[in-house]
Every structure is written in structure tokens, then in C-alpha cells.
Amino acid sequence: MRPIALLAALLLATAPPAGLASERAPAGKSGQIDLAELRIPHHKFVLDNGLTVLVHEDPSVPLVAVNLWYHVGSRNEVRGRTGFAHLFEHFFFNGSENHPHGFREAMDDLGANNRNGTTSTDRTNFFEDVPVSGLERTLYLEADRMGFLAGNLDEAMLERERGVVKNEKRQGENQPYGRAWTRITETLYPYSHPYSWSPIGSMEDLDRASMDDIRAWYADYYGPNNAVLSLAGDITLDQAKTLVTRYFGGIAPGKPVARQRQWVPALDADIRDSLQDQVPQTRIYRAWHLPPMGARATHAMDLFASVLAGSDSSPLSRRLVFDTNLATGVQAGVQARELASLFLVVANVRPGVDPAELERELDAQLAKALAELPDADALARARTGEVAGFVRGKERLGGFGGRSDVLAESMTYFGDPEGYLQRFRDYQAITPAELRDTARTWLSRPSYTLQVDPFPALKAVASDLDRSQLPALGPAPDVDFPEVQRATLGNGLKVVLLERHSAPLVNLMLAVDAGIAADPVDARGTANFALDLLLKGSRKRDAFRIADDRDALGAQLLVGNGLDQSFVRLGALRSQLGPSLDLMADVALNPAFPADMVELQRKQQLAAIGQQKANPGAAAQRVLPSLLYAQGHPYAAPGGGLGTEAAVSDLSREALAQWHARWFVPSNATVVVAGDITLPELVQQLERSFGGWTGGPAPAKAVAATTSPGRGVVHLIDKPGAPQTVIVAAHLAPPSGQSEDLALETVMRNFGGMATSRLNRNLRLEKHWSYGAYGGLNGARGPRTFVVNAPVQTDKTREAILEVKKEIEGVAGARPLAGEEYDSILRSQVARLPGRYETLDSLVSAALDMVNTGRDPAYYANYARDLAALDADALNAAATDVVRPDQLTWVIVGDLDQIEAGIRALELGEVRRITVE
């Protein structure tokens, strides 16, 4: 069966596959093939312009099949411009420059039969069977379409045919299983493969097609040197030469067409896919990649498909349809194409049968077929069937499978009008062993499976609901914050526990009072460097042993720094807590600082600094601390704690070890724990793992109040060509742990801490200048920062700065919270409490805040009650006390050639250009 006909059968058939058997002549025992009976006599000549002409003489009836193949299909398209080959096929039926009338009407007038035009991935063809009385006119019309179509193209035709093609696409997709093939090709082929879209294209690409596109397509691909004209019937070679030369000889050749010859994809693993459609029963598609058409292996797979499922008596059909009644029909076949082919098995699942059961049986039958030699008689029947199908096709002069079609196809794809005979030579030579081995080679590779299921019968129930009425919110649920339990180990290590027994997990954080603020002034980046090395080797374990032991315990082990604290975090399974704590203690207390790992970490940290400088938002945050805090202040280190390139380059292994020994002492640390454990058991476990930890007092950190060297100054950082400007506005604020923090947290969330905040609503939701803007207060034991961060499109920089300034002034008192805005943020704050402390990590974070700022546990225990008691005046007063629009430090990163003049015109303060160090 021809590939295109086979594909149609595979995609459309729903009944048991009796059709293949009925197409076959009775098989002899040998299945011998007589190539002489299959050969189609012909003549070939080529015009000076490159048009190849094939002539098959048969005066049996006064009829000539005209078959014109252009070697262009959807494979010649590019993604974003799909559907052009098929769309252009439609233009061929609308007349040409010298005959601006419908081609269909012309064919009706001369009595043509069996006529059409089709487009595949690899070619476009036009064919018609015409009486000899109309042959000359037909060749004139075909030649005029080939050489003189462009002058007849117009926008009205484009719109008309675009609409027709769209409806053709809708009609195809409206058929049962009509969406399956598009899904298969899109998934089975790589994104860049020209078979990854269907010839009919996408609606979006069809809408994009312009007259310039159409004319360019015609000029590129419809020259005579990219075509084959096949004539079969009551015509002589001399007649053909005279008529074809007369009408086609004067057509100018097109430019050469580059043509990829082969691209067979390979799946990395099996792919399973599914979709629902308006279909009567579930269908299973299974597909494997094969070599291109013409390959011996592809021909072997033709025969394998016939042996496997070519008739009711074949193994797959007999087992799935008749013996087990799992399927109502099953087909197998090859879709042969120029770059790569497919082997397909398609089965219709009997209603009521579990598709998985059918697939198991399908897999079993395939495995059996690949394990055993095929039956010699079955192989002979397969050969005979292929021959019979071909012979019945070539009874016709034209149309699919007719003699003119076979010759044109072979010339187009193989460069030889008799290329089709190689298929039958291969059929004859392939042995049962070769058939099995070829099938093993290709069907043992990963496959694609698509299951198409009937769309379930769904419906809405009758309802008298008044949807115009918004349901009222219920009362906010009570949220119980766990009791904060405390203990101290014998060595002075403090312990904080929040019990929760909802899951067999225990999360721990060793919080050392160090952090970025513990960096030596002349060695910024030390804390980050040292903490990252904790996981790179201890005195007992190297980095890889640490990773293996962690994974064997199912644990999580992380390190990091905040402004005021350095952390070693452990997430442990309750059942593995003991050994997990031992691993944590070894990592935290016994770092080896291996020389090779020190150098590796140095390179990584220097690379991270480079990345920070290159990123506009990160660059702004890197320079901000030194502009807000006085020189030498512990918080004045470059943002993020990565330090300076000079300091990181100079840090020695000894300096890192000394930093760790100085700060990592038990009296300077707290273990914060949340999870499935009681305090007595926790203390016992910690004494075992951490009880031997010793050390003297740690140094003190001076994080007192400071003045801002950059207050009132606009700092500009040049980022040539940047499509966005990053706007940062900040000033110092009082430390965390104040009585007003509850009110401040609420008002800051409304100002810039959620998607519907004032700041984000203004710049993103309303003006669409930004993907997202945020602002608020950070947490710190010493002076913290109020900061706004707003990345905006470059051409709106000046306007966005004014909006940021307006919003800051608004929260500082110019636009106090009131009415529905106040009610809404308070409702949100209270209602979100159940989710706020859902996880163990969220409990650990709350406890760390208590440890760092000295905050009373009552802040969290009474959070809901105290929050509900806040009125608008309390929120506004807290914001007014903290937010100071007159003290802002600005950092703006962008293309200064485009934005600097506008910024200076705002007169926000002194303007300085700075670089990121």
C-alpha cells in the first residue's frame, strides 16, 4: 500500500482491518516477484530549462494522464511561516496571467476526470486525466500556471484561499481523531525538524501570510527545473516533445533549491502522551522513527507491518481483535517520507476495555514478533500483497498509484523513473532473519505512544445561584503559634524549640551570631567564603563523602549568611535524626578548609562577583550598602556578602580558619528547631552531637546607628544599550524588634510587598512600565533599610521615578491608608495567617527573628489578636514615623545616554556617576 494511502487508513479506520487482506492477490508458496511485470515502459527527456518529462505510451483508451510534481512541500517552510506550500497549492486553481479564469472550470469544459492537487511534507502535485481532445489545452494551462501565475495573484485571492484552507483545517480537526496527527508530529519530531509541523500549517501562520511571502514562495520553488511532468496514455514521444516544448520550453528556470537529504531523529526515552476528543472509543497510536523512503530497512519494515498486522490471520490482528476481543481494529504500517519515515501501530480499544490491558497484550505480541523468525508463508503473503497492491494501482493511468504517478514519484525522490523497482528487489531479497533483525534494530528503540480518549459526557447541574452576589468571608480562623521552648546545653549552646508533630520531620538551624556583619573591614567576603567551604570537607569527610552521607540519610544540609547571623541548616527525617545531627556537627564544627577547595571556592566567588556586577538589579544592590552606611560600619559591605575582588583574591586558608574559630563558639550560637521532637529528647541528642564543642567568647559587632553618606544623592550607573532602567530608592530606618513592627509589616505589605500593592499596581498593573516593583523594610538587628526597587522600560525612566517618589511620599503621609484599602489589607493580613506558619521552615524563620532581634515570643503568639486591633491611624502613624522621603538615596542603573538628561531635570538632588566596584 502506498505510504499516503496507508497513513489515511491508519488515521481514519475504525473497523476491524479486513481491507488489507482484500487488497491482496492469492499468495504462492514462494512469493516470487517478477520485476518485468512491474516495470512501466517509458521515455524520458529534459528541456533546456530543466523540466524533466516522462512519457508512458498506452493507446488503449483515448485518454492521457497529466501528472505534474513540484519538489516542494511543508519541509521547505520555516517555523512561523508554516502552511505556505499547501496554501500555494490552492492558488493554482484560480487561473493564471494568460488564462485568468478558474482551472476547475477549464477542466470541466474539456471533460477531465480523476483530478486534484495535493501537498505533502516533501512535494506538491497536480494531476488530471484528460481526453486526447483536451490534452493540448491542458498542457497550455499547466504551463501557464508554472510560468505565469504571479500576475494573477492579488489580496482578494489570498484572503479567499486563506479562509478556504482554514476551513479545510477545521474540517480535518472536526473528524474523529482529527487532532491526533498534529499532536503526533509536534511531539515526535524535534522542534527544528521540518516534519514537526503539519502541511496544512497553523491558523496563526496562515494569518501572517502576505502577498510578498506568496510571490517569493512561487519564485523560489515553482520553476521548471524543480518539477517533473509525467504523461501516460494515448500519446507518443514525438507528440509529447512537440507539445511540451511548445508550452513549457519558454519558461525561465528558477534558482537552484538546496535540499537536505536525511534527518532521522532519535528519541532519548519512551514518550507517553494523551488527549481527549469527540471520538467513539479510545485509540492507541504507537510510533517509531525509521530511515527515509527507499532505504532497505524501510522496505523491510513494510513487510514486517504486513506480517504483523496485514490481515485478520496475522498475529497482532488475530490476538487483539479475535482471541482477546481487546480491540475492534488494529493496523500497522510504514509512513515513508524523504527525510525520515515512521513505523506506526494503531489500535482501537473495544469500549469497556482498559487501554492498559490492550497495551500489555500489544507489547507482548511485539516482543514475540521480535524474538521469533517470521513464518515463511506469512512473508511470502506479504510480498504478494505488496505486488498485488502495486499492480492494481498501475492499472490506472493517473491518480494516486497510477502509472504516471509512480513514474513522477520515483523521478522526484530517487532521480530515477524506475526507482520504485528497488522496493520490489528488496522485498524479494529480504530473508526472515533479516526481517526480524531489522525490526529488532528499529523497534527496540524508544517509541512515542499517544492515547486518544473519548471526551467524557459532562454537564452542568441546574442552579438557582445568584452569581451577582459575592459570598461573604467567614470569620478568620484561630491560629495557634507553637510554644517557644528554650534550653541551654552544658557548653553554653542555646536551644530554641517549636514542637509540631504533623510530619516525621525535624528542621534545625545552627545560627551563629556572625553573618556578613562579621566580615573584617579589610576582608569583605570572608563570611561567605568560609561558610561555603563548610560543605567542601571536614576533618573526617571530604566534600563527596559529605554529599553521599547526606543523601544516604535523606537529609538536607545547607549553609549561608544573613546580615547578622551565619547558618548551618539541617532538614532531617525523624528516624535518622541522630546520624543527621552528627553529620551537621561535623560540617559546622570541624571544617578542614582543604587547599584545593579553597582555590575552587575562590574562583566561584570571584565569578559570582562578576555576575553580580553584570546584572543591573544586583549591581544596584551591591553598591547600595556603602551609600547608606558609613565607611567601616559592619553593614557597609557590598550587597549580598560576596565581598570585593581584591579581598577575595587575597584571603588565605589560614584567615578563613581563624574567622571560623573566632566566631563559631557555643556561647555565640543558638540551635533553632521545629518539628517532631520534644525538648528533653532534643537536648539529649544535641548534647551527644554538640556537647563536646568548646570555645571562648566571640567578638562583639558594632551595629549601632550611623549616618548615610549618600543621603540626598542620585547615583547613576551606566549600562549602555539596556532596555530597562533599574530604579532603587532607599534610606536608613530603625532596627527590627520595635513595638511598631506589626503595624509597619502591614503597611509595608500594602505599599510594596504584594502583587496588588500600591507600588506594583501603579507601575505594572496600571501603567505597564514594569514587570514588577516592590518595596519595604528589611530585617536587621542594627539600622535596617527602607528600600524600593523598580525595574522599568528605558523610555519611561523619568516618569517612573516621579511615580516612585509619589508613592513613597504617599505612604509617608500624603496618602494615608483609609476606607476600603485599610479594610482590605487588614482582612488579607489576618486571613493569610493559617498559611504563613504552615511549614517547619516558617516556624524556624520566626524563631530566628526572635533570636536575632530579641523580639518577645508574644509578638507571634498574639499576632492575630494584635493585628485585628490595629486601626488605620496606627498604621499611618507607624509609616509616617519611619518613611522619610527627604532622606532618600537613589541608585539608578540604565543607558545613561538615553536617561541621564531626564533624571537631572527632576532635580532630586546632587547627581553622581559611579561605577560598580
Side-chain angles (χ1 to χ4, degrees), residues 190-247:
Y191 184 80
S192 57
H193 197 288
Y195 290 169
S196 65
W197 54 83
S198 67
I200 204 164
S202 72
M203 292 291 194
E204 296 78 13
D205 289 355
L206 291 170
D207 284 335
R208 280 193 284 265
S210 68
M211 283 308 304
D212 289 342
D213 294 328
I214 297 302
R215 290 192 174 95
W217 186 265
Y218 176 58
D220 288 345
Y221 295 110
Y222 281 83
N225 49 315
N226 197 41
V228 173
L229 174 62
S230 182
L231 304 173
D234 192 8
I235 185 173
T236 66
L237 176 62
D238 289 342
Q239 288 175 310
K241 285 183 176 180
T242 299
L243 291 173
V244 173
T245 302
R246 177 184 302 162
Y247 293 110

Side-chain angles (χ1 to χ4, degrees), residues 446-459:
S447 64
Y448 169 81
T449 301
L450 172 65
Q451 180 173 319
V452 183
D453 292 316
F455 195 80
L458 306 175
K459 64 179 181 178

